[in-house]
Structure formats: C-alpha cells, structure tokens
Amino acid sequence: MSVSTDAPHVVARHVTKSFHDHVVVDDVSLEVARGEVLCLVGPSGAGKSTFLRCINHLERIDAGEILVGGQLVGYKRHGADLRELHERRIAHDRARAKVGMVFQRFNLFSNMTVLENVMEGQLSVLGRPKGQARERAVELLERIGLRDKLASYPPQLSGGQQQRVAIARALACDPELMLFDEPTSALDPELVGEVLDVMQELAATGMTMIVVTHEIGFAREVAHRVAVMDDGHIIESGAARSVLSTPEHARTRAFLERVLA
C-alpha cells in the first residue's frame, strides 16, 4: 500500500463537538494522507464515532474545521467564520459526495432488493442512467462475492452479507474517501472475517480509509497509522504496529490490555 506525499486528503483542525454540556470531541486535530488507512481506536464513549460523523457532516461541529480534498464539507468560509450550507446544498455538496460511509447497523432499505440498494445512491445522488447504475452495482456485488444475491432482500441475508452490500452501496458512488464506523461490531464472530477481508482488499487498491474499530488485528495488519482516542482527545498516534505493540501512553496500554484479553 502506497501513501501519497501530496497535500493531505483529510485535514481536521481543532475540531470540537458537544452534546448539551458534554464535550464529546475536544480540540482534535489530525491529517490523513491520500491512500492512507487510519484506524481510530479507544474505549467506548471516547468520541471516535462522533468525530467520524463530523467528517461527513452527519454531525455539526461546534468549533474548528474539516477539509476533504482541500474543500470544506457542509460549510463555506465567510471571512474568518464558517457558515453551514443550506440543507439542499449540503445534499449536493461535491466534497461530501466524495465521501462514502459504512455504519454499524448496515442501514440498508429492507423493502429493496440487494441490487436496488446498490443502485439507489447512484440514481438519486449522482443522477446516473438506470442501465449504467445497474451495471456498476452488478460489478461491485460480483467483486464482493454476492453476485448470486441480486434479487434477495436484506432480511434474507446474514449480517456479514448485509455489511458487504453496505460497502458495495458506498463504493457505487465512486467515493475518494471511505469512513467505517465499527463495521463489524454488530456481527456474530464467525462473520467478522468476511467483512474485514473486503475492507483489506479495498485498502490494497489505495482507497483512503478512516476506520473506527476494536479489531486490533485488522488495525495492526492493514492500517498505516493508528490514533487512540480517550475522553474526546487523541492521546497517542503513530505507525500502527508501533502504537499497538509498544504504546507510550498508560491509557493506551490499559485499553489494549482490556481488548486483547
């Protein structure tokens, strides 16, 4: 896996997000290079998923800024201030359209077939012709080993198969950045591997990926870097194998001991 030395693909500067009086993401700054795989790890409630959702503007930030491909997502600059785009403009924000996201709970449309699920974003967001959208959907479903499930509905699939469909759906809109929010946490243990295999293959293509995960083995083998979050802060970051094998921070060591136990 190669990482670009050009301008960072993702830049977060002093990002803060609160819910009522509770600060969930506290002055977080980081950069992710184009083609890099970054895993965010840490205890539950550390702010990892909230920060991930801020990147895609599924959560509004209270302070700081996030750029993807050099562009603000969901905001425009007005002098020294940032102003949120109108809801209609957010829906067609080019920077946001280049970001794909895979959630914990699949979020597939249960009343649509697998094929229709993977076509939907192409039709409604990209405005692709139906034939082209179908061709792209079939190509991706074949790539993830579900060519025989085109006419199936999500409830007829295993959790691992549903999550693979969710990945294909995100890829169908040709994102340049993929966000994964604990994509295996809702799966039975025997189904985790099939999803991680698809993610590993995607990483090998050079896709920029930010992955919130408790799968330490995946992070060690696939990620270029790991950032450890605790209590809304990034407390440690660096090369994946280094951080996960010889962590410097006591809270990182305590977290890894609990997870690996």
Side-chain angles (χ1 to χ4, degrees):
M1 297 180 290
S2 61
V3 175
S4 173
T5 57
D6 296 335
H9 196 163
V10 181
V11 177
R13 298 189 182 107
H14 306 294
V15 174
T16 298
K17 172 64 182 178
S18 300
F19 293 104
H20 303 293
D21 295 330
H22 179 51
V23 180
V24 179
V25 178
D26 192 357
D27 195 29
V28 167
S29 296
L30 61 76
E31 295 183 354
V32 181
R34 191 170 293 275
E36 183 176 19
V37 178
L38 172 74
C39 281
L40 287 173
V41 304
S44 297
K48 306 180 303 296
S49 293
T50 298
F51 176 67
L52 199 74
R53 291 171 64 86
C54 288
I55 295 173
N56 202 21
H57 198 61
L58 293 176
E59 297 288 354
R60 297 178 175 89
I61 60 176
D62 298 320
E65 64 179 14
I66 299 173
L67 296 95
V68 176
Q71 295 180 290
L72 294 166
V73 180
Y75 294 89
K76 63 179 178 180
R77 204 176 300 281
H78 186 79
D81 299 324
L82 297 184
R83 292 187 179 178
E84 187 177 20
L85 298 176
H86 188 277
E87 186 174 343
R88 289 183 180 177
R89 289 193 62 187
I90 291 173
H92 296 91
D93 184 4
R94 290 185 179 181
R96 193 184 194 200
K98 294 178 181 178
V99 182
M101 188 160 183
V102 177
F103 302 87
Q104 298 178 31
R105 291 285 176 179
F106 324 136
N107 289 4
L108 299 175
F109 297 109
S110 61
N111 62 333
M112 292 184 178
T113 66
V114 165
L115 179 63
E116 289 168 342
N117 265 279
V118 181
M119 290 176 61
E120 176 59 26
Q122 301 180 72
L123 298 173
S124 60
V125 178
L126 300 184
R128 276 185 180 154
K130 191 171 183 179
Q132 186 179 344
R134 187 184 193 284
E135 182 178 348
R136 176 65 170 151
V138 171
E139 172 194 336
L140 286 167
L141 289 166
E142 186 167 10
R143 175 176 164 186
I144 63 169
L146 292 176
R147 177 66 174 79
D148 60 335
K149 300 294 185 181
L150 301 185
S152 299
Y153 289 85
Q156 299 173 315
L157 305 180
S158 70
Q161 290 172 328
Q162 289 187 62
Q163 194 60 295
R164 283 189 280 159
V165 173
I167 293 172
R169 179 183 60 183
L171 291 174
C173 291
D174 301 327
E176 296 178 3
L177 167 68
M178 284 288 289
L179 308 177
F180 293 87
D181 185 10
E182 298 195 44
T184 61
S185 64
L187 302 180
D188 293 332
E190 66 270 20
L191 302 177
V192 169
E194 65 185 68
V195 174
L196 294 181
D197 286 346
V198 172
M199 293 172 61
Q200 186 165 2
E201 291 173 9
L202 181 60
T205 69
M207 175 68 73
T208 310
M209 296 166 56
I210 304 177
V211 184
V212 172
T213 185
H214 284 98
E215 298 291 339
I216 302 302
F218 172 85
R220 182 181 287 112
E221 294 301 318
V222 179
H224 295 93
R225 282 191 303 132
V226 163
V228 184
M229 288 190 71
D230 191 18
D231 196 26
H233 300 275
I234 292 180
I235 60 172
E236 184 169 355
S237 66
R241 295 197 178 197
S242 175
V243 171
L244 297 175
S245 299
T246 55
E248 297 180 357
H249 202 292
R251 284 190 286 178
T252 303
R253 291 194 293 271
F255 164 73
L256 290 173
E257 287 171 3
R258 289 196 302 271
V259 172
L260 295 175

